[in-house]
Structure formats: C-alpha cells, structure tokens
Amino acid sequence: QSALTQPPSASGSPGQSVTISCTGTSSDVGGYNYVSWFQQHPGKAPKVMIYEVSKRPSGVPDRFSGSKSGNTASLTVSGLQAEDEADYYCSSFAGNSKVVFGGGTKLTVL
Amino acid sequence: QVQLQESGPGLVKPSETLSLTCTVSGYSISSGYYWGWIRQPPGEGLEWIGNIYRSGTTYYNTSLKSRVTISVDTSKNQLSLKLSSVTAADTAVFYCARFNWNVDFWGQGILITVSS
C-alpha cells in the first residue's frame, strides 16, 4: 500500500488559519468517506482529531475541521494556538480492512 | 472508555521474533470491531501493520505479510503481534489500536529496539 501524500511542513502565526492537504487515490481517500486526522505531540501517542472526513470526537475544539474533494482530504486549523504545534497525520480506509497513512506534516506555530 | 496497553520486551536481537501483547479494557474484543497494530520508526511516520477480527480473520500490510502474525485471545481480551526475522529497520514504537473503519482508539505505544 502506498502512503498518502502530505506536505512535510506547514506553519502559521497565532490566530491564523492553516490547511494541510492529504492526497491519495480512488482506492483510498477518493473511494471512501473514512478519512481520519491524528495529532501527535513528541513522545505521545496519536490523538484522533477528525474522523469520517469531517466529524470531530467529543473534546476536540471546533477550530479543527476536515473536508474532502476527490482524492484529496484537508485539515484546517483555525485560530491557531501554541498548543496546536505538533505532527499531523492523515489516514484512510483502503478496502478489505486495510488502512493507509500519510507521511505526516509538522505544524509550526510561529 | 476503551483502553489499550501494549507489553513486551524492549529489546530484541536481530533475526529473532518480536512478540507483543495488547491488553484491552473497557470493551470486549468478542463484541466486534477490528483490532490491530501500527508502528512508527523513530523520527518517521506511521505504518499500518495489520488487523484482526474476533473471528480470527486477518489482514496484513503486503510489505510485512511474510513476517507478521496477529492473533486474538478473546478469553483474555488480548491481541498479539509476532514479527519474525527482525532487523534494525524494525526498531519502532509499536501501537495497538481499535479500528472502526479507521483508528478510533490507540494504545500508548511501546518502543522496541532491535539490537545485538
């Protein structure tokens, strides 16, 4: 399974918005509405921020939003805060119980 | 709340078999969902290893399929991972996870180092 494509880095100033893209194929991102986004701080386990393209688990701020168009999913973080600085990974269901991940994006809050 | 806890030796010698166990609490594996493993080499991204259903049906990453075995013990509410013929390239943090089409619960992870 090929990894999904994410930009290696993204940045923004506090209060700004930043969008991270995640590009796959019609066999994963484009074929299913089961894209998730995970936030990972150094030394910690990933945390679910978005699931099923645009749904937020309880406790995740509404500053985090997700969307999808064709084979590309996106995570937008609005009103950037210092604690948002972390690595972000996208993931997609890819059929037959298989899951594929993106390479990760390091988000820096300037 | 679903909780997953990985356990196993922190150090494995090259060419040997890595064996990990994940103990699940707050949910019975026999009730449903897929359960599996993900790994993350130091400083690198996440890689899906494989999943298993309560019936024992398994799905593996094709790049690891020849070396991986995932099993489940519903009586102990545990799942296990065996990775054979390990090399230094298998050094990673290994996470067990519950899959609801995608990961919805993660374990805290365990660092496994392959070294002589």
Side-chain angles (χ1 to χ4, degrees):
Chain A
Q1 293 84 2
S2 300
L4 306 177
T5 300
Q6 296 181 234
S9 63
S11 63
S13 299
Q16 289 186 332
S17 293
V18 64
T19 297
I20 300 170
S21 62
C22 170
T23 301
T25 70
S26 58
S27 297
D28 38 63
V29 174
Y32 306 94
N33 287 322
Y34 293 113
V35 175
S36 294
W37 289 90
F38 306 103
Q39 177 191 66
Q40 186 179 38
H41 286 110
K44 300 295 186 182
K47 173 186 176 182
V48 182
M49 304 303 284
I50 296 288
Y51 68 100
E52 293 180 17
V53 176
S54 60
K55 298 178 180 179
R56 278 188 310 276
S58 173
V60 172
D62 60 6
R63 302 184 294 102
F64 291 85
S65 62
S67 63
K68 190 185 85 167
S69 177
N71 296 336
T72 298
S74 298
L75 171 72
T76 297
V77 185
S78 305
L80 271 175
Q81 299 183 5
E83 60 262 35
D84 299 334
E85 184 162 297
D87 293 327
Y88 290 85
Y89 292 91
C90 64
S91 177
S92 175
F93 181 74
N96 289 325
S97 189
K98 298 177 182 178
V99 170
V100 63
F101 288 94
T105 298
K106 181 176 180 60
L107 175 60
T108 300
V109 180
L110 302 171
Chain B
Q1 179 77 337
V2 179
Q3 292 185 313
L4 304 96
Q5 179 68 60
E6 303 88 350
S7 59
L11 182 66
V12 181
K13 290 182 169 54
S15 81
E16 295 188 344
T17 296
L18 179 163
S19 295
L20 297 177
T21 298
C22 175
T23 300
V24 179
S25 59
Y27 190 86
S28 173
I29 289 178
S30 60
S31 294
Y33 294 108
Y34 282 84
W35 305 81
W37 296 89
I38 295 159
R39 69 177 182 177
Q40 184 173 34
E44 298 184 26
L46 300 164
E47 180 183 34
W48 174 72
I49 297 172
N51 292 343
I52 188 167
Y53 192 59
R54 60 186 176 182
S55 62
T57 302
T58 53
Y59 298 89
Y60 299 131
N61 188 320
T62 53
S63 67
L64 298 169
K65 189 173 184 176
S66 64
R67 300 194 291 132
V68 172
T69 302
I70 295 175
S71 59
V72 64
D73 186 335
T74 55
S75 67
K76 294 182 179 180
N77 219 35
Q78 293 177 332
L79 62 155
S80 298
L81 169 70
K82 292 187 185 299
L83 181 65
S84 64
S85 304
V86 298
T87 70
D90 294 310
T91 293
V93 175
F94 286 77
Y95 296 99
C96 62
R98 191 180 83 168
F99 291 78
N100 181 15
W101 297 100
N102 210 319
V103 180
D104 62 355
F105 287 98
W106 295 78
Q108 66 180 31
I110 182 170
L111 174 63
I112 302 299
T113 302
V114 179
S115 176
S116 55

